[in-house]
Amino acid sequence: MQLALFLIFGLLAVAAALNLLLQRHPINSALSLVVVMMSLAVLYWSLGAEFLAAAQVIVYSGAIMVLFVFVIMLLNAGEEEKTTGSKAAYIAGFPGAAAIFCLLSFVFLSERKALGNVGIHDYLTDVVPNLTRISTELFTRLLLPFEVTSVLILVAILGAVVLARKEQ
Amino acid sequence: MVPIAYYLVLAAILFSIGAASFLIKRNIVTIFMSIELMLNAVNLTFVAFAHMWHQVQGQIFVFFVMVVAAAEAAVGLAIIIAIFRTRQTLNVDQINLMKN
């Protein structure tokens, strides 16, 4: 059952990511990125990270992608045109990405035995302990980094407002 | 039962698609979206390893990556709006003031 879940949503994520690569209009790429993020949320859930699955849907596909779609609409971005610069990118891009993929999957598949399996039964029954453990860790041992991220968000908001403001 | 290696290979596939589209795409907004795709792929490996070790530290890493990604998206899109306002284009090949 979990293998079916993994296959369906993994293939959906890969197909949507390829669609992001192949579409020429930015709005189509943005919507396929939403599909990738929603399927990753399901995969997080199957790995026993319920909190992160919810946060992925709310933060990534909710907030960040709405921001992207908003900017695409605001700037009225049209289809991208091919230029002479993209020739070199094609030559460097596909072999480089293929090399990264081959190296990573070779390492992962050769260590397959040592990495072990994912069982669905031992995690999905205890949703509350997962949340409890994350929040205990976050609010006791990692309290200072957690508070520093709020300062980071504040600085980012100020920077965004200053950058996007109209010049006087 | 799914081997954890499958999740990691899926993350590798997503990461390399993100890297390829980062290099190939010419629209600055799409390039920014492929960075988000790469961040998501790395998040998947963090969650898979967290599950493997039965620890929550990996999930906390993902939480912080999400926070940083949100901040980065806000600032980056503001920069894109500023670039569009001055240069009237989203094509990265035409944004070459720093070249030469």
Side-chain angles (χ1 to χ4, degrees):
Chain A
M1 183 247 167
Q2 202 188 0
L3 186 65
L5 202 68
F6 172 78
L7 283 179
I8 291 168
F9 286 98
L11 287 178
L12 191 63
V14 172
L18 281 175
N19 195 40
L20 186 153
L21 177 57
L22 297 175
Q23 290 287 342
R24 304 216 66 82
H25 203 284
I27 197 81
N28 296 344
S29 302
L31 294 179
S32 34
L33 191 56
V34 173
V35 175
V36 175
M37 284 162 177
M38 295 301 267
S39 12
L40 279 181
V42 176
L43 292 177
Y44 289 171
W45 175 77
S46 77
L47 282 167
E50 293 86 6
F51 170 69
L52 284 181
Q56 173 91 357
V57 173
I58 294 167
V59 176
Y60 262 120
S61 25
I64 295 181
M65 289 319 294
V66 166
L67 205 59
F68 270 99
V69 172
F70 185 76
V71 167
I72 292 168
M73 297 287 187
L74 179 73
L75 301 184
N76 200 11
E79 297 208 354
E80 61 177 350
E81 62 261 37
K82 279 191 179 154
T83 49
T84 50
S86 56
K87 279 270 184 338
Y90 270 100
I91 295 165
F94 279 118
I100 294 172
F101 168 65
C102 290
L103 186 68
L104 285 175
S105 48
F106 171 71
V107 172
F108 291 146
L109 288 177
S110 59
E111 295 296 322
R112 191 181 149 180
K113 282 277 181 298
L115 287 168
N117 290 311
V118 176
I120 200 162
H121 45 79
D122 54 339
Y123 252 94
L124 294 186
T125 46
D126 48 17
V127 174
V128 180
N130 174 267
L131 266 178
T132 317
R133 283 170 68 194
I134 288 181
S135 43
T136 313
E137 191 83 358
L138 208 55
F139 290 114
T140 54
R141 216 160 61 78
L142 296 171
L143 188 61
L144 182 66
F146 182 73
E147 295 297 334
V148 170
T149 48
S150 63
V151 178
L152 176 76
I153 292 275
L154 187 67
V155 172
I157 294 169
L158 290 178
V161 169
V162 169
L163 281 168
R165 192 186 47 180
K166 256 203 168 70
E167 299 285 329
Q168 297 300 323
Chain B
M1 299 292 266
V2 187
I4 285 184
Y6 288 4
Y7 281 95
L8 298 175
V9 169
L10 173 67
I13 293 171
L14 290 180
F15 185 87
S16 28
I17 292 174
S21 69
F22 177 83
L23 290 169
I24 286 164
K25 287 294 188 180
R26 295 291 104 190
N27 189 311
I28 193 165
V29 181
T30 323
I31 288 174
F32 207 56
M33 281 193 278
S34 48
I35 297 175
E36 297 290 334
L37 180 60
M38 285 193 276
L39 280 173
N40 267 288
V42 175
N43 282 352
L44 182 61
T45 61
F46 268 126
V47 176
F49 280 124
H51 185 276
M52 176 186 156
W53 292 107
H54 292 281
Q55 301 268 325
V56 287
Q57 272 87 353
Q59 300 187 10
I60 289 167
F61 258 107
V62 175
F63 178 73
F64 282 116
V65 170
M66 276 181 188
V67 172
V68 172
E72 174 229 333
V75 176
L77 289 170
I79 291 173
I80 289 173
I81 290 174
I83 287 174
F84 186 79
R85 200 169 274 150
T86 51
R87 308 282 298 170
Q88 298 298 321
T89 181
L90 286 174
N91 192 334
V92 285
D93 286 326
Q94 290 170 24
I95 305 167
N96 52 4
L97 272 179
M98 300 267 279
K99 214 172 176 182
N100 303 322

